[in-house]
Amino acid sequence: MTKLTQELLDYVSRPGYRPQRPRAISKNLGITKKRLADFEAALAELQKAGKLRISDSGRVQTPAPANAVIGTLRKIRSGAAFLIPHEPRPADLDGDVYIDASDLKDAQNGDEVLVKLTNRRRTGGGRNGIVVDVVERATNVFVGTYFEEDDEGWVEVDGDDFQDPVYVGDPGAKGRAGRQSRDRNDPVPDSPRGRRGGGHQGARATG
């Protein structure tokens, strides 16, 4: 493994990494135009080795850990959902994974999620799972109340779909008062989980 290949693997494996497009990663790693071919070769090498994958939206992801699977969430009328696993799916997994409404966290229809498989089985042998993390949101527009805490911008999203505030970045870095935007692939700090900081006002945040 070359130094660049290891550097790329370390970058996407770090805590807080959210899937990014290769171009964004190369920029963050300081890859010059002369080294783009080497970067693309390193990316291809890691894909072939199964250490990285490219999502349907073209973002670089790490593979699911043992006893877990990544896929697209499809909610049903009851409030529960099914995970449609990405290919190639685990050899011992047939069909989609059922997720009870109480195990969805704040995952929404169409989100790409990481699901831990449980020992519970459905009638007919189908697998059950629990959402561990939302890998990539199906939408990046959130409407709610903007607030600041510990020099970070957050939005308390309207409605009951999101359990925690959504991080929208450094208040002084970009945007205007009441509206903040961020690169949704930036590492995200821990949610204040409802704690309030500075002034409150309506906001339409693009995450």
Side-chain angles (χ1 to χ4, degrees), residues 1-2 7 12 16-17 26 39-40 42-43 45-46 52 65 92 98 108 112 129-130 149 159 172 177 190 194 202-203:
M1 183 180 294
T2 66
E7 186 177 3
V12 300
Y17 170 78
S26 66
F39 172 79
E40 292 171 355
L43 181 59
E45 177 185 341
L46 290 172
L52 295 180
D92 60 345
Y98 176 80
Q108 305 298 307
E112 191 170 26
I130 299 173
E149 180 164 309
D190 292 336

Side-chain angles (χ1 to χ4, degrees), residues 7-18 20 25 28-29 62 185-188:
E7 186 177 3
L8 173 57
L9 183 59
D10 290 344
Y11 179 86
V12 300
S13 301
R14 75 192 194 283
Y17 170 78
R18 308 304 291 183
Q20 300 179 20
I25 295 176
N28 291 335
L29 290 178
T62 52
N185 301 308
D186 287 344
V188 179

Side-chain angles (χ1 to χ4, degrees), residues 58-187:
R59 291 178 168 82
V60 180
Q61 301 176 349
T62 52
N67 202 36
V69 61
I70 295 176
T72 303
L73 195 73
R74 296 300 180 200
K75 283 192 171 182
I76 56 179
R77 186 172 298 179
S78 67
F82 283 94
L83 177 81
I84 303 173
H86 291 325
E87 299 292 347
R89 64 177 62 205
D92 60 345
L93 180 61
D94 294 322
D96 299 332
V97 180
Y98 176 80
I99 305 170
D100 189 80
S102 62
D103 294 327
L104 287 172
K105 290 191 173 182
D106 62 1
Q108 305 298 307
N109 189 58
D111 286 351
E112 191 170 26
V113 295
L114 174 66
V115 168
K116 178 182 178 181
L117 299 175
T118 70
N119 292 326
R120 290 177 295 171
R121 295 276 183 168
R122 305 187 70 217
T123 302
R127 300 298 299 269
N128 288 263
I130 299 173
V131 172
V132 175
D133 186 30
V134 176
V135 178
E136 191 172 327
R137 292 286 183 188
T139 179
N140 62 353
V141 177
F142 308 99
V143 179
T145 301
Y146 172 79
F147 66 96
E148 297 173 10
E149 180 164 309
D150 298 329
D151 296 322
E152 301 287 354
W154 301 84
V155 168
E156 186 76 41
V157 180
D158 291 346
D160 300 321
D161 290 337
F162 292 86
Q163 299 173 358
D164 298 322
V166 175
Y167 174 69
V168 292
D170 180 355
K174 43 190 171 181
R176 298 182 296 276
R179 180 184 178 114
Q180 294 290 328
S181 62
R182 72 175 179 89
D183 181 345
R184 61 198 284 244
N185 301 308
D186 287 344

